[in-house]
Amino acid sequence: MIQRTLGPRSVSAIGLGGMPMSIEGRPDAERSVATIHAALDAGITLIDTADAYHLHAGEVGHNEELIAAALKTYGGDTSQVLVATKGGHLRPGDGSWTQDGRPEYLKAAAKASAQRLGVEAIGLYQFHRPDPKVPYADSIGAIVELLDEGVIQLAGISNASVAQIDQANQLLGGRLVSVQNQFSPNFGSSLVELKHCAELGIAFLPWSPLGGIRNAAELGNRHAAFAQIAAVHGVSPQQVTLAWELALAPIVIPIPGASRPASIQDSAKAAELELTAVEVATLTETV
Ligand SMILES: NC(=O)c1ccc[n+]([C@@H]2O[C@H](COP(=O)([O-])OP(=O)(O)OC[C@H]3O[C@@H](n4cnc5c(N)ncnc54)[C@H](OP(=O)(O)O)[C@@H]3O)[C@@H](O)[C@H]2O)c1
């Protein structure tokens, strides 16, 4: 698998998003573990998760525990795998997503995530989403402390504007390594943050890179240009979408979600799919 840079680390150009294996519509644990093992077999070394990827109240960290268990039972080498988790979102169990960006909450949440992942220090910890009730600098201040104390090895943010990227990077003393924002043919407005990350040399991880769990299967029907170019290459529109995202800048590392081995096996092949400059430009124009 082709590699990309994430801070000081080298990771697979395509990551795995863990969310579909733990929220509404999730499969049984056996299928989830098979999906994570299929990703590892395909050379994927970046797995994205969050403490909030669960369904019911009282099962915080469902996805983190699933990933930790799958890594433990994998037969091959997992030493190069970077597990990226997040804190700052909560799921009370009624289907909603709430936020808590208070420093004391984030610091406790990160320590709980480390325990669930079975690591002394979290490989990459991302502040999940700005909390309108808490000054952004206060939340990022907690991330700075976690980094300084060695609870986390690398710091990232998610759902951030250009101004927040700059503010977080400044507060972190230039140690911000990744930004995770929504980006797909369905949602192109964060191209501005993607380009900003490219200028700064910070990894940009598109979330819902295929348009989200509910839309991913229909990508080719909703975005004709992606389906047309997929037909030319004899691959899926989803693969073309991920290859297009990779082609936008060398700092892009998409994290397509999956709950079936076949999905992530297909997505992983996008790292090797080369689109022409004309194809990339044509696709970008439609977004
Ligand atoms: N930071 C944030 O606020 C935030 C928000 C949302 C998501 N995320 C992260 O981003 C990750 C990706 O987003 P997402 O899971 O919401 O949406 P997504 O990646 O756009 O779509 C996920 C769905 O795509 C399907 N899929 C994957 N590869 C495919 C392929 N090659 N061909 C056909 N279908 C394919 C999967 O189906 P199957 O389930 O059938 O395998 C999966 O359910 C999440 O898993 C999570 O880690 C972060």
Side-chain angles (χ1 to χ4, degrees):
M1 166 89 66
I2 286 165
Q3 305 290 298
R4 292 227 155 160
T5 300
L6 199 162
R9 299 282 299 257
S10 185
V11 296
S12 55
I14 297 289
L16 169 68
M19 193 171 79
M21 292 179 275
S22 289
I23 67 163
E24 289 80 350
R26 69 189 180 194
D28 59 33
E30 199 183 333
R31 196 174 102 193
S32 291
V33 169
T35 302
I36 298 163
H37 287 178
L40 297 169
D41 286 344
I44 285 178
T45 55
L46 172 65
I47 304 180
D48 182 72
T49 182
D51 57 3
Y53 293 165
H54 64 93
L55 195 47
H56 310 293
E59 56 169 22
V60 175
H62 177 276
N63 198 247
E64 293 175 325
E65 284 171 358
L66 191 63
I67 289 163
L71 287 171
K72 224 174 181 176
T73 57
Y74 186 63
D77 179 21
T78 57
S79 61
Q80 298 309 306
V81 176
L82 177 63
V83 177
T85 192
K86 312 182 205 77
H89 249 316
L90 292 91
R91 298 210 78 194
D94 58 0
S96 69
W97 296 77
T98 58
Q99 281 148 256
D100 193 338
R102 289 173 303 133
E104 59 274 28
Y105 168 78
L106 290 173
K107 285 193 275 181
K111 284 170 191 158
S113 285
Q115 246 182 8
R116 282 189 292 264
L117 291 171
V119 294
E120 261 179 45
I122 294 172
L124 170 62
Y125 196 66
Q126 307 154 101
F127 177 40
H128 208 148
R129 185 179 284 276
D131 180 348
K133 297 184 300 299
V134 179
Y136 196 57
D138 291 0
S139 301
I140 299 299
I143 306 296
V144 174
E145 280 183 40
L146 287 167
L147 196 56
D148 289 342
E149 289 166 10
V151 179
I152 66 174
Q153 291 175 339
L154 298 170
I157 54 174
S158 182
N159 299 300
S161 65
V162 164
Q164 287 164 336
I165 293 168
D166 287 340
Q167 188 184 2
N169 198 29
Q170 195 230 331
L171 290 165
L172 282 156
R175 293 178 293 169
L176 179 68
V177 298
S178 66
V179 173
Q180 183 178 140
N181 277 8
Q182 185 173 12
F183 183 73
S184 70
N186 266 2
F187 193 96
S189 61
S190 36
L191 194 56
V192 58
E193 289 102 34
L194 184 159
K195 286 185 176 160
H196 193 60
C197 286
E199 279 165 21
L200 297 173
I202 292 172
F204 183 87
L205 281 46
W207 67 253
S208 291
L210 301 173
I213 297 172
R214 276 186 233 138
N215 301 320
E218 290 301 306
L219 200 151
N221 296 333
R222 287 169 183 236
H223 302 278
F226 287 80
Q228 280 156 14
I229 290 175
V232 170
H233 288 272
V235 299
S236 68
Q238 290 81 3
Q239 229 182 89
V240 167
T241 301
L242 297 168
W244 163 72
E245 290 166 4
L246 286 170
L248 291 175
I251 45 85
V252 176
I253 311 173
I255 46 167
S259 68
R260 290 176 302 118
S263 309
I264 194 60
Q265 281 158 350
D266 185 66
S267 291
K269 290 186 195 144
E272 325 293 333
L273 175 62
E274 278 192 40
L275 303 175
T276 67
V278 173
E279 286 172 333
V280 172
T282 304
L283 294 173
T284 305
E285 267 172 35
T286 69
V287 170

